[in-house]
Amino acid sequence: MSKIKMVTPLVEMDGDEMTRIIWKMIKDILLEPYIELNTEYYDLGLVHRNETNDQVTIDSANATKKYGVAVKCATITPNAQRMTEYDLKEMWKSPNGTIRAILDGTVFRAPIIVKGITPLIPTWTKPITIARHAYGDVYKNTEMRVSKGSKAELVVTDESGNETRETIHNFADTDGIIQGLHNTDKSISSFARSCFNFALDVKQDLWFATKDTISKKYDHRFKDIFQEIFDAEYADKFKEAGIEYFYTLIDDAVARVVRSEGGYIWACKNYDGDVMSDMVATAFGSLGMMTSVLVSPDGVYEYEAAHGTVTRHYYKHLKGEETSTNSVATLFAWTGALRKRGQLDNTPELSEFADKLEKTTIQTIEDGVMTGDLVALSKLPNKRKVNTEQFLSEIKERLEKLL
Ligand code: NAP
Ligand code: MG
């Protein structure tokens, strides 16, 4: 069999620790024997980020803008302990934060569903994808403690120096607290377009919810921007694709989500997304089965696993002990990126390879062959725990039969 060729390069962002080990195994065992991998390689491992003063992260994001598709390995976000462990020049920022700021993207997280692992909400038979708006609100707030006898006001000074004031509260007889929040039309519009584009891409309904009945200007602005952009730019495309845009109140949305069977994208304001993505991920089972894709409003895609570098397993690996780390989310980051590359380049054999690789991965787990995290969850009677590398070899065996 001749290898599949790639027309345009894929941006490859390597990473850290156990996921860096898995990254190489996936390429060696499941990709390079079948594809003439054409990637532009950026080493985002912490050692190289430190050597380049983090320039490599910026370069990789700019390359993603240029080529349109990237696949990223999990990376360490340094903290005080990592400063000594890696002898860092600076506490470099989170690469995901840097990349997201350059691409102006929205993160979509979706679980991979397999037979034998039932979500804690058993009616969820299809994935629920959460899109979290990653700008503003309580994450960029200004807060104060206020002492008794004070009056708190909201003051806006316009370009010409005119002030508009509103009283927040008169703290006549007690101390208290206040908080200033903001968002921008620009960021909300980008978020809306990323969500509408992604819904069209995966052909799933889009749900959005806020508390506009209580927050008649702030949350209502989110609702209006989504609706205006939908009506002007997406209503026809949604109709053609046979999907819907559905707006409701956040509390109604939560009730509907719990009663639903899944199979849609749930766009959330920043705080709702923070809380609800952890709730949904936990209910679906394992972090090792959660994928993540960053989508920019102009249609650039960066695929990754939702989990981190699995440090605890890496330290075991370094001591020469056997690991059983789940590679599915990292593998699906690769297949997502390869499929998208195939679609954009009009090379269907690349997209078909990605489909087959996903199918055989799911089949492997449904045959009872899985890593430790899933053994603990699976209800299959014939389940068998394999190590990190054996799992990939089992996928390969099944893939060979399908090619
Ligand atoms: P983590 O790497 O996601 O791992 C937390 C725990 O979840 C693991 O110890 C393991 O539990 C389980 N787990 C996660 N992924 C797994 C997998 N693929 N297979 C099996 N078990 C898995 O989170 P963390 O330990 O909080 O963070 C480690 C490093 O990753 C940090 O330096 C952090 O900055 C970084 N991080 C990066 C990203 C990213 O690049 N997107 C995201 C999050 C965190 P058991 O130990 O119980 O087996
Ligand atoms: Mg959270």
Side-chain angles (χ1 to χ4, degrees):
M1 206 191 85
S2 65
K3 288 193 195 182
I4 298 166
K5 295 200 170 47
M6 290 174 65
V7 181
T8 316
L10 185 66
V11 176
E12 175 184 352
M13 304 169 175
D14 207 344
D16 288 300
E17 300 194 311
M18 199 60 209
T19 40
R20 188 180 179 98
I21 307 286
I22 287 175
W23 195 259
K24 185 164 186 315
M25 285 183 186
I26 289 175
K27 287 175 67 179
D28 289 349
I29 299 172
L30 292 172
L31 301 177
E32 284 181 324
Y34 312 104
I35 305 172
E36 264 179 35
L37 267 189
N38 176 9
T39 70
E40 199 165 289
Y41 179 85
Y42 292 88
D43 184 1
L44 265 54
L46 187 50
V47 172
H48 194 239
R49 272 183 279 150
N50 192 52
E51 281 165 4
T52 63
N53 298 326
D54 209 23
Q55 185 60 37
V56 65
T57 307
I58 296 165
D59 293 345
S60 74
N62 286 327
T64 305
K65 267 190 167 170
K66 177 174 166 193
Y67 294 115
V69 190
V71 57
K72 181 180 170 290
C73 180
T75 46
I76 293 168
T77 298
N79 54 15
Q81 183 250 319
R82 300 293 195 174
M83 292 291 290
T84 30
E85 184 183 356
Y86 283 84
D87 192 17
L88 300 179
K89 296 185 233 173
E90 254 182 62
M91 203 185 287
W92 308 111
K93 286 191 206 149
S94 147
N96 288 51
T98 303
I99 295 165
R100 196 166 60 215
I102 292 173
L103 298 181
D104 183 25
T106 296
V107 174
F108 296 81
R109 272 175 151 216
I112 299 152
I113 294 183
V114 291
K115 285 195 202 89
I117 298 175
T118 317
L120 293 171
I121 299 188
T123 52
W124 287 359
T125 52
K126 298 176 192 165
I128 296 171
T129 302
I130 295 221
R132 173 179 170 188
H133 184 210
Y135 178 79
D137 300 353
V138 70
Y139 303 87
K140 275 219 185 303
N141 68 359
T142 310
E143 316 182 306
M144 287 184 200
R145 288 182 62 168
V146 178
S147 53
K148 180 178 159 182
S150 312
K151 178 173 127 181
E153 291 177 294
L154 206 54
V155 182
V156 175
T157 314
D158 72 13
E159 273 178 329
S160 350
N162 305 312
E163 287 185 355
T164 313
R165 286 171 182 269
E166 296 239 20
T167 302
I168 297 170
H169 192 70
N170 263 313
F171 292 86
D173 53 6
T174 169
D175 294 351
I177 41 181
I178 60 164
Q179 182 179 55
L181 306 185
H182 81 279
N183 223 299
T184 66
D185 284 13
K186 185 168 176 246
S187 176
I188 300 166
S189 304
S190 291
F191 176 49
R193 288 198 175 88
S194 292
C195 290
F196 291 132
N197 286 340
F198 191 71
L200 284 170
D201 193 39
V202 297
K203 294 207 167 35
Q204 289 182 6
D205 290 348
L206 177 71
W207 295 17
F208 182 46
T210 73
K211 195 73 185 174
D212 67 276
T213 47
I214 299 296
S215 172
K216 291 188 167 63
K217 294 210 171 91
Y218 196 104
D219 276 25
H220 213 288
R221 189 73 195 125
F222 280 82
K223 178 185 178 180
D224 289 346
I225 288 176
F226 264 71
Q227 196 63 51
E228 284 159 20
I229 291 178
F230 179 73
D231 292 343
E233 301 170 29
Y234 292 96
D236 294 342
K237 292 180 196 157
F238 267 52
K239 206 169 188 181
E240 211 172 294
I243 57 173
E244 271 184 15
Y245 168 55
F246 172 64
Y247 178 85
T248 186
L249 281 172
I250 185 66
D251 31 356
D252 179 50
V254 170
R256 283 172 188 263
V257 164
V258 170
R259 278 187 267 113
S260 77
E261 58 172 29
Y264 49 85
I265 299 157
W266 183 12
C268 291
K269 285 183 63 200
N270 209 347
Y271 178 81
D272 298 338
D274 186 349
V275 178
M276 290 305 160
S277 65
D278 285 350
M279 196 265 295
V280 168
T282 307
F284 272 110
S286 169
L287 254 182
M289 299 292 278
M290 187 66 73
T291 62
S292 172
V293 51
L294 176 74
V295 182
S296 80
D298 47 355
V300 167
Y301 288 73
E302 183 237 277
Y303 294 83
E304 64 177 314
H307 60 75
T309 58
V310 210
T311 311
R312 211 179 60 84
H313 296 210
Y314 180 60
Y315 290 158
K316 272 178 76 179
H317 169 84
L318 285 183
K319 278 192 266 170
E321 290 172 32
E322 189 175 80
T323 58
S324 181
T325 313
N326 191 337
S327 50
V328 173
T330 304
L331 181 52
F332 272 57
W334 272 101
T335 52
L338 291 170
R339 182 186 299 105
K340 178 54 82 182
R341 191 69 277 164
Q343 286 165 356
L344 295 176
D345 290 352
N346 203 8
T347 48
E349 59 286 6
L350 190 60
S351 304
E352 280 158 23
F353 176 81
D355 290 343
K356 284 178 187 160
L357 187 47
E358 287 185 1
K359 210 174 137 189
T360 42
T361 303
I362 289 173
Q363 193 203 329
T364 304
I365 299 170
E366 293 184 346
D367 284 348
V369 179
M370 58 193 86
T371 45
D373 57 320
L374 298 186
V375 167
L377 298 170
S378 175
K379 298 199 172 66
L380 293 182
N382 59 336
K383 60 190 177 183
R384 173 161 65 90
K385 178 176 165 179
V386 289
N387 70 32
T388 310
E389 189 166 356
Q390 278 163 355
F391 180 68
L392 296 170
S393 303
E394 291 269 354
I395 296 173
K396 187 186 180 74
E397 254 175 50
R398 289 164 179 80
L399 179 68
E400 299 259 324
K401 286 185 200 143
L402 208 70
L403 290 177

PDB file of all heavy atoms in Angstrom, residues 335-350:
ATOM      1  N   THR A 335      -6.700  12.791  14.605  1.00  0.00           N
ATOM      2  CA  THR A 335      -7.668  12.440  13.554  1.00  0.00           C
ATOM      3  C   THR A 335      -8.530  13.652  13.194  1.00  0.00           C
ATOM      4  O   THR A 335      -8.843  13.859  12.024  1.00  0.00           O
ATOM      5  CB  THR A 335      -8.571  11.259  13.982  1.00  0.00           C
ATOM      6  OG1 THR A 335      -9.147  11.550  15.255  1.00  0.00           O
ATOM      7  CG2 THR A 335      -7.792   9.964  14.053  1.00  0.00           C
ATOM      8  N   GLY A 336      -8.881  14.460  14.198  1.00  0.00           N
ATOM      9  CA  GLY A 336      -9.660  15.674  13.920  1.00  0.00           C
ATOM     10  C   GLY A 336      -8.904  16.594  12.979  1.00  0.00           C
ATOM     11  O   GLY A 336      -9.460  17.104  11.998  1.00  0.00           O
ATOM     12  N   ALA A 337      -7.622  16.780  13.262  1.00  0.00           N
ATOM     13  CA  ALA A 337      -6.796  17.682  12.445  1.00  0.00           C
ATOM     14  C   ALA A 337      -6.575  17.106  11.051  1.00  0.00           C
ATOM     15  O   ALA A 337      -6.644  17.827  10.051  1.00  0.00           O
ATOM     16  CB  ALA A 337      -5.464  17.935  13.148  1.00  0.00           C
ATOM     17  N   LEU A 338      -6.326  15.802  10.964  1.00  0.00           N
ATOM     18  CA  LEU A 338      -6.088  15.182   9.652  1.00  0.00           C
ATOM     19  C   LEU A 338      -7.360  15.232   8.798  1.00  0.00           C
ATOM     20  O   LEU A 338      -7.310  15.514   7.595  1.00  0.00           O
ATOM     21  CB  LEU A 338      -5.618  13.730   9.810  1.00  0.00           C
ATOM     22  CG  LEU A 338      -4.216  13.546  10.403  1.00  0.00           C
ATOM     23  CD1 LEU A 338      -3.969  12.082  10.745  1.00  0.00           C
ATOM     24  CD2 LEU A 338      -3.131  14.068   9.449  1.00  0.00           C
ATOM     25  N   ARG A 339      -8.512  14.984   9.434  1.00  0.00           N
ATOM     26  CA  ARG A 339      -9.769  15.028   8.692  1.00  0.00           C
ATOM     27  C   ARG A 339     -10.021  16.451   8.155  1.00  0.00           C
ATOM     28  O   ARG A 339     -10.375  16.641   6.989  1.00  0.00           O
ATOM     29  CB  ARG A 339     -10.944  14.596   9.571  1.00  0.00           C
ATOM     30  CG  ARG A 339     -12.275  14.598   8.797  1.00  0.00           C
ATOM     31  CD  ARG A 339     -13.488  14.321   9.663  1.00  0.00           C
ATOM     32  NE  ARG A 339     -13.427  13.026  10.299  1.00  0.00           N
ATOM     33  CZ  ARG A 339     -13.148  12.822  11.576  1.00  0.00           C
ATOM     34  NH1 ARG A 339     -12.929  13.849  12.391  1.00  0.00           N
ATOM     35  NH2 ARG A 339     -13.111  11.613  12.070  1.00  0.00           N
ATOM     36  N   LYS A 340      -9.800  17.438   9.011  1.00  0.00           N
ATOM     37  CA  LYS A 340      -9.999  18.836   8.605  1.00  0.00           C
ATOM     38  C   LYS A 340      -9.022  19.207   7.487  1.00  0.00           C
ATOM     39  O   LYS A 340      -9.403  19.846   6.501  1.00  0.00           O
ATOM     40  CB  LYS A 340      -9.824  19.735   9.832  1.00  0.00           C
ATOM     41  CG  LYS A 340      -9.953  21.215   9.604  1.00  0.00           C
ATOM     42  CD  LYS A 340     -11.248  21.619   8.928  1.00  0.00           C
ATOM     43  CE  LYS A 340     -12.428  21.739   9.848  1.00  0.00           C
ATOM     44  NZ  LYS A 340     -13.681  22.083   9.107  1.00  0.00           N
ATOM     45  N   ARG A 341      -7.765  18.775   7.603  1.00  0.00           N
ATOM     46  CA  ARG A 341      -6.767  19.030   6.543  1.00  0.00           C
ATOM     47  C   ARG A 341      -7.242  18.416   5.215  1.00  0.00           C
ATOM     48  O   ARG A 341      -7.163  19.035   4.157  1.00  0.00           O
ATOM     49  CB  ARG A 341      -5.429  18.409   6.983  1.00  0.00           C
ATOM     50  CG  ARG A 341      -4.184  18.749   6.178  1.00  0.00           C
ATOM     51  CD  ARG A 341      -3.723  20.170   6.310  1.00  0.00           C
ATOM     52  NE  ARG A 341      -4.423  21.072   5.441  1.00  0.00           N
ATOM     53  CZ  ARG A 341      -4.429  22.391   5.561  1.00  0.00           C
ATOM     54  NH1 ARG A 341      -3.739  22.989   6.504  1.00  0.00           N
ATOM     55  NH2 ARG A 341      -5.111  23.138   4.739  1.00  0.00           N
ATOM     56  N   GLY A 342      -7.766  17.194   5.301  1.00  0.00           N
ATOM     57  CA  GLY A 342      -8.282  16.505   4.117  1.00  0.00           C
ATOM     58  C   GLY A 342      -9.450  17.255   3.492  1.00  0.00           C
ATOM     59  O   GLY A 342      -9.540  17.384   2.267  1.00  0.00           O
ATOM     60  N   GLN A 343     -10.337  17.775   4.340  1.00  0.00           N
ATOM     61  CA  GLN A 343     -11.493  18.536   3.824  1.00  0.00           C
ATOM     62  C   GLN A 343     -11.029  19.813   3.132  1.00  0.00           C
ATOM     63  O   GLN A 343     -11.482  20.131   2.036  1.00  0.00           O
ATOM     64  CB  GLN A 343     -12.446  18.903   4.971  1.00  0.00           C
ATOM     65  CG  GLN A 343     -13.254  17.736   5.498  1.00  0.00           C
ATOM     66  CD  GLN A 343     -13.915  18.047   6.847  1.00  0.00           C
ATOM     67  OE1 GLN A 343     -13.716  19.113   7.427  1.00  0.00           O
ATOM     68  NE2 GLN A 343     -14.698  17.106   7.344  1.00  0.00           N
ATOM     69  N   LEU A 344     -10.111  20.532   3.772  1.00  0.00           N
ATOM     70  CA  LEU A 344      -9.668  21.813   3.210  1.00  0.00           C
ATOM     71  C   LEU A 344      -8.856  21.619   1.936  1.00  0.00           C
ATOM     72  O   LEU A 344      -8.920  22.438   1.016  1.00  0.00           O
ATOM     73  CB  LEU A 344      -8.843  22.596   4.237  1.00  0.00           C
ATOM     74  CG  LEU A 344      -9.592  23.056   5.490  1.00  0.00           C
ATOM     75  CD1 LEU A 344      -8.634  23.727   6.467  1.00  0.00           C
ATOM     76  CD2 LEU A 344     -10.729  24.009   5.136  1.00  0.00           C
ATOM     77  N   ASP A 345      -8.075  20.529   1.881  1.00  0.00           N
ATOM     78  CA  ASP A 345      -7.220  20.288   0.713  1.00  0.00           C
ATOM     79  C   ASP A 345      -7.929  19.473  -0.362  1.00  0.00           C
ATOM     80  O   ASP A 345      -7.348  19.220  -1.417  1.00  0.00           O
ATOM     81  CB  ASP A 345      -5.950  19.530   1.138  1.00  0.00           C
ATOM     82  CG  ASP A 345      -5.024  20.395   1.966  1.00  0.00           C
ATOM     83  OD1 ASP A 345      -5.289  21.605   2.077  1.00  0.00           O
ATOM     84  OD2 ASP A 345      -4.046  19.853   2.516  1.00  0.00           O
ATOM     85  N   ASN A 346      -9.146  19.031  -0.058  1.00  0.00           N
ATOM     86  CA  ASN A 346      -9.867  18.162  -0.971  1.00  0.00           C
ATOM     87  C   ASN A 346      -9.085  16.875  -1.263  1.00  0.00           C
ATOM     88  O   ASN A 346      -8.921  16.476  -2.413  1.00  0.00           O
ATOM     89  CB  ASN A 346     -10.197  18.928  -2.264  1.00  0.00           C
ATOM     90  CG  ASN A 346     -11.372  18.303  -2.984  1.00  0.00           C
ATOM     91  OD1 ASN A 346     -12.030  17.399  -2.438  1.00  0.00           O
ATOM     92  ND2 ASN A 346     -11.638  18.752  -4.198  1.00  0.00           N
ATOM     93  N   THR A 347      -8.596  16.261  -0.174  1.00  0.00           N
ATOM     94  CA  THR A 347      -7.930  14.961  -0.293  1.00  0.00           C
ATOM     95  C   THR A 347      -8.717  13.961   0.566  1.00  0.00           C
ATOM     96  O   THR A 347      -8.359  13.710   1.722  1.00  0.00           O
ATOM     97  CB  THR A 347      -6.467  15.020   0.205  1.00  0.00           C
ATOM     98  OG1 THR A 347      -6.457  15.685   1.485  1.00  0.00           O
ATOM     99  CG2 THR A 347      -5.580  15.791  -0.748  1.00  0.00           C
ATOM    100  N   PRO A 348      -9.809  13.420  -0.003  1.00  0.00           N
ATOM    101  CA  PRO A 348     -10.709  12.574   0.801  1.00  0.00           C
ATOM    102  C   PRO A 348     -10.024  11.358   1.411  1.00  0.00           C
ATOM    103  O   PRO A 348     -10.447  10.884   2.466  1.00  0.00           O
ATOM    104  CB  PRO A 348     -11.799  12.152  -0.192  1.00  0.00           C
ATOM    105  CG  PRO A 348     -11.326  12.546  -1.550  1.00  0.00           C
ATOM    106  CD  PRO A 348     -10.301  13.613  -1.376  1.00  0.00           C
ATOM    107  N   GLU A 349      -8.940  10.861   0.782  1.00  0.00           N
ATOM    108  CA  GLU A 349      -8.302   9.662   1.351  1.00  0.00           C
ATOM    109  C   GLU A 349      -7.716   9.965   2.733  1.00  0.00           C
ATOM    110  O   GLU A 349      -7.687   9.089   3.599  1.00  0.00           O
ATOM    111  CB  GLU A 349      -7.269   9.062   0.385  1.00  0.00           C
ATOM    112  CG  GLU A 349      -6.101   9.923  -0.065  1.00  0.00           C
ATOM    113  CD  GLU A 349      -6.407  11.024  -1.083  1.00  0.00           C
ATOM    114  OE1 GLU A 349      -7.602  11.259  -1.427  1.00  0.00           O
ATOM    115  OE2 GLU A 349      -5.461  11.694  -1.516  1.00  0.00           O
ATOM    116  N   LEU A 350      -7.305  11.209   2.964  1.00  0.00           N
ATOM    117  CA  LEU A 350      -6.789  11.592   4.283  1.00  0.00           C
ATOM    118  C   LEU A 350      -7.925  11.604   5.313  1.00  0.00           C
ATOM    119  O   LEU A 350      -7.787  11.080   6.427  1.00  0.00           O
ATOM    120  CB  LEU A 350      -6.108  12.961   4.202  1.00  0.00           C
ATOM    121  CG  LEU A 350      -5.309  13.402   5.421  1.00  0.00           C
ATOM    122  CD1 LEU A 350      -4.181  12.437   5.735  1.00  0.00           C
ATOM    123  CD2 LEU A 350      -4.732  14.809   5.201  1.00  0.00           C
TER     124      LEU A 350
END
